[in-house]
Amino acid sequence: MVAFVPSFVCLFLFCVGVVQDRRRVSNAVLLGLSTVFAAIALLLHVASERAQLGRDLAVALLTLAGVGVVTLACFLIANGITMVRKEGRSSANLLSLAAGVALVALLALLITALVLHTHTLLVMAATAVALAGYVAFLFLCFLVYGALYAHVRIRRRVDFVVVLGSGLIGGTAVSPLLASRLDRARKEHTRLSRKGRRPVLITSGGQGPDEKLPESHAMADYLVAQGFPADLIEREDRSTTTDENLTFSKALMERANPTYRCVIVTNNYHVFRAAVTARRTGIRGNVIGAPTAAYFWPSAMIREFVALLVAYRRTNAVLFLLVLLSGLFIWWLGWPAPGAAT
């Protein structure tokens, strides 16, 4: 049972974190650590009781991991090609393709190092695998906890429903992506209204350089055309980023009701990062998501994950540097001393 203590500790801290604020990134990491520590403890327990079964399980897990990486690389490359065909060759649309190619390059480096068996290549491969493992662990934490967060129902009173904007088609028309957010917001507003409240709906989005009107105005027009009451719509028309969406919407809500609570609506791939940003902005409310086209989801999730890595860049930079320095130290330890036989 002692081997399971780290898992139980992480699980306890995870539960405390969720009770305090479910929008914390640390909740995702603690849940991931609890799962990893539990798996390691279980494997050690099996190995201590039945050594051969433990070895078989370890081999099976390594084989499964290898097959999983190859399958994932193929899927990401295929998805990247689909994204380029349907959405164009922007840097954001190339993310899944780039991730797939990076996995292929990592596998090629690992196989080359094992075949040639040179010290430098082995250390390079081990360091690359360690960095990839760190990123993969964080990404899985992001995926799993983000999915859990997205399925939590909003039960508290709500005074505002905030819809985050996105680009307009032709500079004037609401895109299908944005329409899905507005439709979800209208549905949520109807659900909340059944409880005796009539929240104000805030459309949040400024005017981009290629747009003929602010996104918030096009969003409001779309809602009114769908039969939504115009008197329950408030426009926030200055923002150009998610941070500004939330900051400027927060100012509107605080001015109208200092004790407000809100629901923020975006697309499902954007839910957890929007929730983290809302927490850092000081907004009192949680985030819900609208559905997204299946082909668009993988690349969008990678983009959201990269944005979170950048948001916590100092912590990630330190950990990346520690892994690189560890690899360099191991390489230095194995390097032949001057005059030694090679």
Side-chain angles (χ1 to χ4, degrees):
M1 282 297 292
V2 176
F4 287 91
V5 169
S7 177
F8 291 144
V9 170
C10 289
L11 183 61
F12 173 75
L13 294 175
F14 164 75
C15 293
V16 172
V18 169
V19 170
Q20 291 180 341
D21 194 331
R22 67 185 68 160
R23 302 171 297 177
R24 291 178 171 176
V25 171
S26 58
N27 294 340
V29 176
L30 286 168
L31 180 61
L33 287 174
S34 177
T35 304
V36 169
F37 286 145
I40 292 173
L42 183 61
L43 189 60
L44 290 174
H45 174 72
V46 171
S48 66
E49 295 290 330
R50 300 177 63 181
Q52 184 58 47
L53 178 59
R55 286 192 290 270
D56 291 343
L57 280 175
V59 171
L61 288 173
L62 287 173
T63 303
L64 185 63
V67 172
V69 170
V70 173
T71 304
L72 180 61
C74 294
F75 168 76
L76 289 172
I77 291 173
N79 177 256
I81 294 171
T82 301
M83 281 292 294
V84 170
R85 286 175 177 172
K86 292 191 174 185
E87 302 289 336
R89 296 185 179 182
S90 69
S91 56
N93 295 336
L94 291 171
L95 283 175
S96 56
L97 179 62
V101 172
L103 284 178
V104 171
L106 178 64
L107 287 172
L109 174 62
L110 185 58
I111 292 170
T112 303
L114 291 174
V115 170
L116 298 181
H117 209 72
T118 63
H119 175 67
T120 299
L121 270 179
L122 286 171
V123 173
M124 285 177 60
T127 303
V129 168
L131 289 173
Y134 171 73
V135 173
F137 168 75
L138 290 182
F139 187 59
L140 285 173
C141 291
F142 169 67
L143 281 182
V144 173
Y145 186 73
L148 291 174
Y149 176 89
H151 284 85
V152 175
R153 288 182 65 84
I154 309 299
R155 300 188 183 277
R156 296 185 179 183
R157 68 172 179 84
V158 171
D159 305 295
F160 296 92
V161 176
V162 182
V163 191
L164 304 185
S166 67
L168 302 176
I169 296 177
T172 58
V174 168
S175 66
L177 191 76
L178 184 52
S180 69
R181 297 183 185 185
L182 293 165
D183 292 340
R184 179 65 198 275
R186 189 159 54 91
K187 182 179 178 181
E188 184 67 14
H189 190 279
T190 300
R191 185 185 73 83
L192 294 168
S193 297
R194 292 196 193 105
K195 298 183 177 182
R197 287 184 171 271
R198 297 192 76 202
V200 173
L201 194 150
I202 298 177
T203 54
S204 179
Q207 184 172 349
D210 59 343
E211 294 173 337
K212 298 177 183 179
L213 76 164
E215 293 167 8
S216 59
H217 292 208
M219 294 160 70
D221 292 342
Y222 175 88
L223 287 168
V224 171
Q226 297 294 316
F228 191 88
D231 61 314
L232 289 179
I233 299 176
E234 180 87 25
R235 295 171 175 84
E236 182 286 297
D237 56 9
R238 296 185 295 155
S239 57
T240 58
T241 64
T242 299
D243 284 29
E244 290 181 354
N245 283 143
L246 297 173
T247 299
F248 296 150
S249 295
K250 177 188 176 186
L252 289 176
M253 292 185 287
E254 286 182 335
R255 186 161 58 246
N257 181 0
T259 62
Y260 77 91
R261 291 202 65 84
C262 71
V263 172
I264 301 160
V265 183
T266 183
N267 283 91
N268 52 13
Y269 65 83
H270 190 224
V271 165
F272 187 48
R273 184 166 74 89
V276 171
T277 306
R279 178 177 180 270
R280 298 176 77 176
T281 308
I283 285 183
R284 292 190 295 276
N286 284 288
V287 186
I288 60 175
T292 307
Y295 78 88
F296 191 84
W297 187 85
S299 186
M301 287 300 293
I302 294 173
R303 183 175 72 239
E304 294 300 304
F305 174 66
V306 170
L308 270 183
L309 287 181
V310 172
Y312 291 87
R313 54 188 172 275
R314 292 182 181 177
T315 301
N316 289 305
V318 169
L319 292 172
F320 265 67
L321 185 60
L322 285 175
V323 173
L324 289 173
L325 289 175
S326 298
L328 185 61
F329 181 66
I330 293 171
W331 174 80
W332 176 75
L333 285 178
W335 191 256
T342 59

